[in-house]
Amino acid sequence: MNLLFAFVVMYSVTRFSLTPSFYRPVYVISDSEMVQLKVQQHEDELDSVVDQRKRLEDAYEKQRTHLLEREKFIKSELKALAPSASNPVKETVEKAVDAIKDTAKKVVA
């Protein structure tokens, strides 16, 4: 493994050093141009970061709103499904059952 790695490195270095210079363009710029290039690169990166942050905040807010609405809906569903202590239908049915039992007792007696 190490021998193969050494061969590849040697091949790359040898190939690079034997390649004619006209195949490898060289650009020479002044220090002020270099500073200007760095400033431009940083400004581009900053714009990208700000854009990504805004998109992330928008996505977060949409998801948060969706979850709050879903939570509210589920709570209302649970409240509607929970048995209440004063259920008028249940009370009416119990009264009707008691009345039928009383009527049956009178008929039998």
Side-chain angles (χ1 to χ4, degrees):
M1 179 73 176
N2 291 336
L3 184 61
L4 178 62
F5 179 72
F7 174 74
V8 170
V9 170
M10 288 290 288
Y11 175 76
S12 298
V13 170
T14 305
R15 184 170 175 223
F16 180 75
S17 63
L18 295 178
T19 304
S21 64
F22 59 85
Y23 282 40
R24 294 175 284 146
V26 175
Y27 299 101
V28 179
I29 60 173
S30 66
D31 288 341
S32 62
E33 289 175 320
M34 186 64 178
V35 169
Q36 187 180 14
L37 180 62
K38 285 183 179 182
V39 167
Q40 183 62 43
Q41 287 175 339
H42 287 312
E43 286 175 349
D44 291 345
E45 184 179 1
L46 180 62
D47 291 343
S48 175
V49 168
V50 169
D51 182 53
Q52 288 178 11
R53 182 183 51 81
K54 286 180 181 179
R55 286 187 283 131
L56 182 62
E57 287 173 350
D58 290 343
Y60 167 79
E61 193 57 39
K62 287 178 185 176
Q63 185 67 18
R64 182 179 176 275
T65 303
H66 169 73
L67 290 174
L68 288 173
E69 290 173 358
R70 186 70 181 150
E71 178 185 7
K72 184 178 177 181
F73 173 76
I74 291 172
K75 283 181 178 179
S76 68
E77 287 290 313
L78 283 174
K79 187 176 181 181
L81 294 174
S84 66
S86 62
N87 189 344
V89 174
K90 184 177 178 182
E91 291 174 1
T92 305
V93 170
E94 288 174 352
K95 287 180 183 178
V97 169
D98 290 339
I100 292 172
K101 287 180 183 178
D102 289 340
T103 306
K105 285 180 186 178
K106 290 178 184 176
V107 171
V108 172

